[in-house]
Amino acid sequence: MKQDIKSLTLQELTTQIVDLGLPKFRAGQIYSWLHKQCAESFEEMTNLSKDLRAKLDEVYEIKNCQIERKYESKIDDTKKYLFRLNDGEFIESVLMKYKYGYTVCVSSQVGCNMKCSFCASTIDGCVRNLAPSEILSQVYAITRDNDIRVSHIVLMGMGEPLDNYENVLRFLELISNDDGLNISARHISISTCGIVPRIYDLIEQHPQFTLSVSLHAPNDEIRSRIMPVNKKWGVDELLEACRTYTETTSRRISFEYAMMDGVNDTDECARELRQKLKGTLCHVNLIPANEVRENDYKRSSLERLEAFSKILEAGGITTTIRRSLGGDIDASCGQLRRNHKEGGEA
Ligand code: SAH
């Protein structure tokens, strides 16, 4: 089987290139084509001889993201991409434009196993993990298509990043490396539904990136109903891990909280959340839940979000009501999916 060249570090590639009997400097050239120029084939590597390109093609596979469809929002500058992977699977990624630059929201798996009841990404389960190269290629394909420099990455697309832990860590290493796109770890956010042992593993990596936790409820009763992962690791256990994270790294944690009408949005929920987050170095993002056609959740009203936010703020917890981008093209949180059988509309 051909090797996945884009998932190799420069050091690994160098060792292999030397083992193939080629001069060491070739590794640097190839790596730069792949990770700086975002090349999608050996053909493009014009400073390599034809013979060498043919040889590389025999040994290596370049895992790419082919643009299958592109959806452009009419209300903001958001673009959603449906990508086809080399093996024919589909994933989605989103490009968002902010004042501070371009952010790409990447997927980490084809589908998701976490079964959160409000999320479209989990509806057909998880087909497989994405390789580091396939997470990278989402950013590279979008960089090429728009001729831009991406400055921020959020691992908030399809999939649970901490359920694909090793590949996600390698992706982080490759994308933040100055031999590649050199995106600062501080500009990268990873979001998790709360796989507690992996949060402890992350702490040991001394992470520089931002950790987001999809909390969505203040107690086990509500959270276990909407997020099955909570039956394994409950709210208290999760928040304990989050506190260890902030205390060890001195980095603030973000809590995502999708407000669903009549589910998790009462004043009582806000007070309970305030009590539980007291003293934790954190920030809460309140998001009006996005609609997903397979479930019946309704988003809370803006007044409800504001009332909820006020209660948290009164306890000294900084809270943002996040605007949703790309709502008209189903590019918002929890709306990404791999199943495009319906075709046509976004
Ligand atoms: N599996 C990871 C990464 C996905 S990030 C995680 O759970 O954090 C996608 C974010 O969108 C998560 O915070 C998720 O809980 C949230 N989300 C899912 N469905 C949503 C919906 N219908 N409305 C608003 N947010 C939603």
Side-chain angles (χ1 to χ4, degrees), residues 249-274:
T249 63
S250 305
R251 296 188 63 79
R252 198 162 72 152
I253 234 166
S254 285
F255 290 107
E256 308 297 312
Y257 200 103
M259 298 275 287
M260 292 168 249
D261 185 34
V263 176
N264 62 355
D265 67 345
T266 61
D267 284 355
E268 201 185 331
C269 285
R271 283 192 290 267
E272 196 175 353
L273 186 62
R274 178 174 73 186

Side-chain angles (χ1 to χ4, degrees), residues 105 108-109 112 114 116 118-121 155-162 190-194 212-216 227 256-260 287-292 295 297 322 324 332-335:
C105 174
S108 55
Q109 296 179 313
C112 183
M114 296 298 127
C116 299
F118 43 84
C119 181
S121 299
L155 278 129
M156 296 190 182
M158 243 192 302
E160 166 52 46
L162 300 190
I190 297 193
S191 184
T192 178
C193 65
S212 283
V213 171
S214 302
L215 193 57
H216 305 318
M227 300 180 71
E256 308 297 312
Y257 200 103
M259 298 275 287
M260 292 168 249
I287 313 148
N290 296 304
E291 283 172 24
V292 171
N295 68 49
Y297 294 110
R322 214 168 59 188
S324 250
S332 305
C333 301
Q335 294 184 312

